[in-house]
Structures are given as C-alpha cells and as structure tokens.
Amino acid sequence: MKRTLIESSGSLIAICVMLISIPAMAVEEKQLPVHITADKVNFDLNKEQSIYTGNVRIEQGNTRLQGSQVTIFQQDSEIIRMVATGAPAEYHHDNEDGTWVRAKSNHIQYLANKDRLIMTEQARLVQDEQIIESDRIVYNTKDQTLIAGGPAGKEDQNSRVKITLTPDND
Amino acid sequence: MRVRTREMKHRLTLLGVAFIALLSWWLLDTEQHHNLITPGDDEHFLDLFIDDFELTSTDETGRADFTIDAERLEHYNDEDHSRIYKPVIQLHSSPDGWQITALTGTIDDDYSMVVLNGDVVMQNMIEEEPMRIDAQMLSIDTEREIIETADAVTITDGKLVLNAIGMRYDNRKQILKLLADIRGTYETNPH
C-alpha cells in the first residue's frame, strides 16, 4: 500500500485540508448528557471554573476527551470551554459506520460555542490511516475542516506540518 | 476514803460514757458526710435545655458571621458539647451566603466546631439555581470557616450533578474540593 507523505515548512501558514473527511459531531449527539469521571475536582466559585485532575474522562455520546487535567469554564451555568492537558491529552470520536478520529496533543482546547477543537504542542490527528502532525491543529467540528500549522503571522521553520495519506485499496 | 473512791469511779464512768457518746456522734457525722449525694458525681443527666434556640456570632465590626437556629438544644453534665435538633446554620461571611440544615448535630461548648448528622443539605443563598450539597455528615469549623466530610456527597449545580467521596469547602476562599471518586453528569438538554 503506497503512502503519500507531505511535509510543509512553516512558511505555509495554513493548510485547509478537505481530503481528510472528519465527521462532524452529530447535532443529536450534542444534546446528549456529558459524563465526567476524575480522581479529584476543585471548584472556584468566584470564577465559575472547575479543575478536574487525575484520570479525567469526559464523554458525550461517541466522543471522549481525556487528560491528566481538564479545566471546565462555564458562563451562566453553560459550558463554554474545556481545556485538557496531559502527556498527551486525547480526543476520540467514533462514527456509526465504524470510522473514527483520534487526536492527541499536550494541550487540547474545546470551544463549545464555536464548535472548534484547538490542539497545540505536538498535535497529531489520525483518521483511519491518515495522519496529520503539527505544532498546531484547529479542527472545526461543524463543517469538517481543519487548519494545521503555526498561527498566522508567526512563520517559523520549526513549525512544520506533516501529512501522511494512505489511499484506499479499491 | 471509800466515799471518795466511789465518787471517783462514778465520775470516771460518766466521763467514759460521755466519751463514747462523743465518739459515736463523730463517727455518725462523718459517715453522713460521706453518704451525702452530690448531683452528677457518678450520673449522666440533663443540666441545660433551650427550646427554639438561636445563636448569632458576630465579627469585630458587629456584623453577623454565622447563626445557629435549632428546635431544641440540650446539654448534659458530663459532656463538653451540646446536642441540637433540627438545626439551621447560616454562614453570612461569603458573598452569597450558605444555609445548612440537618436532622441533628452537636456544638462544642466554645462554639468552635459544629457537627451535623442526618440528611444534611447545604445550599448557597442566591435566588436562581443555588448550588446544593447533600451529605449524611458535615463538620463546620466556625473559626476557620472550613466545612468538610470524609463521607459521600452529591453536588448539584444547575445542570451538573456530581457524586464524590470526601469534600472540603473553604468559605473564605470560596474553593470547594471533592476529594475522590468523582462521577457526574452534565445535562446539556434537560428539557
């Protein structure tokens, strides 16, 4: 099976990858309850912020976010943002058709009101056998696009994007 | 001579009888003192009770720190704490304030520690969707304003319900910690 490896320097600021079809979280799934398990939690009642530590797992339907620490930010009792850290923190999503997405990085930020997942620090996203690696990957959970590479305006030769594509055997 | 000897014997006899009488009286008196019942020496009894008990603690400015209301307070002679029934504790020092109710409790004689037992419910006193903590036991350090338990607790905060083992709340810093085995659910669409 031939693999195609694409590497890009940091001078290419952003790559919009449509080749990798990453299923968006179904609208129905977003209505499902969010289940949380952890060893400990600290609530800061002044800031509407809770910090979960120790084997943290947050699951909603077929989606899971896990790390050694997850901070949940709320506003008016609604979750607006979650930040997972770990070595690495992980994002998993399984589809009904058996396909799946796995993402890892040391820092994963989920913006609930923007349907966005921002992975930094050794980010790696895998779908089946297609792999994207970069210092930064921003994935839009709603319209199935992702952007990999350093932030705009911060071209850096060390900020490389590596894409490994595995064509289907058909 | 015979008359004097007889008188002497008679006097000695009288003296002897008087001495025996005195001795008997002294012995009887001592025994009675020992047999006097001093209330509570070896007994457990109620020495104080108050119905519709209310206590308010204030800070140096005269503002209420906390209040304790109870249907009844009882104090027993041989205990260093009082028992309270249907207590309601209100903490006023934090911005929202907290109210804590239970079936029973105890208060140390210096009011520094309150322990609540049975269906303990702690709620912050804001109007909409107050945070609620349910437990079977909570201890309140009134001086440090620390509330804690090693037992199971349930936290309900809006759409979030969390169960855990162990809790520690610092009312001055407004930091709530759940210490182990966190399991919970956040309802995104409860309707």
Side-chain angles (χ1 to χ4, degrees), chain B residues 48-166:
Chain B
L48 172 72
F49 71 88
I50 304 173
D51 287 327
D52 294 325
F53 170 80
E54 180 177 331
L55 177 147
T56 299
S57 171
T58 58
D59 60 21
E60 56 276 2
T61 68
R63 209 178 76 172
D65 263 346
F66 66 89
T67 58
I68 303 175
D69 291 85
E71 282 189 2
R72 183 174 170 92
L73 177 143
E74 294 179 348
H75 185 275
Y76 286 80
N77 65 301
D78 57 350
E79 294 177 346
D80 60 357
H81 56 269
S82 300
R83 305 175 188 186
I84 49 178
Y85 301 89
K86 298 278 185 74
V88 179
I89 318 290
Q90 293 195 345
L91 305 178
H92 301 290
S93 53
S94 58
D96 296 337
W98 291 89
Q99 176 171 286
I100 312 170
T101 61
L103 293 178
T104 61
T106 59
I107 312 178
D108 282 1
D109 285 348
D110 62 358
Y111 307 114
S112 63
M113 182 67 70
V114 179
V115 178
L116 302 177
N117 290 287
D119 297 342
V120 185
V121 177
M122 178 173 166
Q123 283 185 303
N124 59 7
M125 295 189 285
I126 57 175
E127 293 180 2
E128 298 178 12
E129 296 198 71
M131 174 183 275
R132 175 183 167 129
I133 301 167
D134 288 81
Q136 287 303 313
M137 176 270 183
L138 282 182
S139 67
I140 306 169
D141 183 325
T142 59
E143 291 178 353
R144 294 187 303 150
E145 296 187 56
I146 302 288
I147 300 168
E148 56 191 342
T149 182
D151 294 347
V153 292
T154 299
I155 310 294
T156 306
D157 185 21
K159 299 175 183 177
L160 176 67
V161 178
L162 280 179
N163 293 295
I165 304 297

Side-chain angles (χ1 to χ4, degrees), chain A residues 29-46 50 52 60 74 76-79, chain B residues 98 129 131 157-160 162 169 173-189:
Chain A
E29 190 172 82
K30 290 187 76 173
Q31 307 297 326
L32 295 175
V34 177
H35 298 287
I36 303 170
T37 59
D39 290 344
K40 298 181 181 184
V41 62
N42 280 14
F43 290 92
D44 188 332
L45 302 185
N46 294 312
S50 48
Y52 295 81
Q60 183 178 38
Q74 289 181 264
D76 300 328
S77 299
E78 297 287 338
I79 294 178
Chain B
W98 291 89
E129 296 198 71
M131 174 183 275
D157 185 21
K159 299 175 183 177
L160 176 67
L162 280 179
Y169 174 61
K173 297 178 182 175
Q174 294 205 282
I175 301 288
L176 171 67
K177 297 184 180 183
L178 302 183
L179 304 179
D181 199 17
I182 313 300
R183 296 179 187 280
T185 302
Y186 181 88
E187 294 288 344
T188 56
N189 188 25

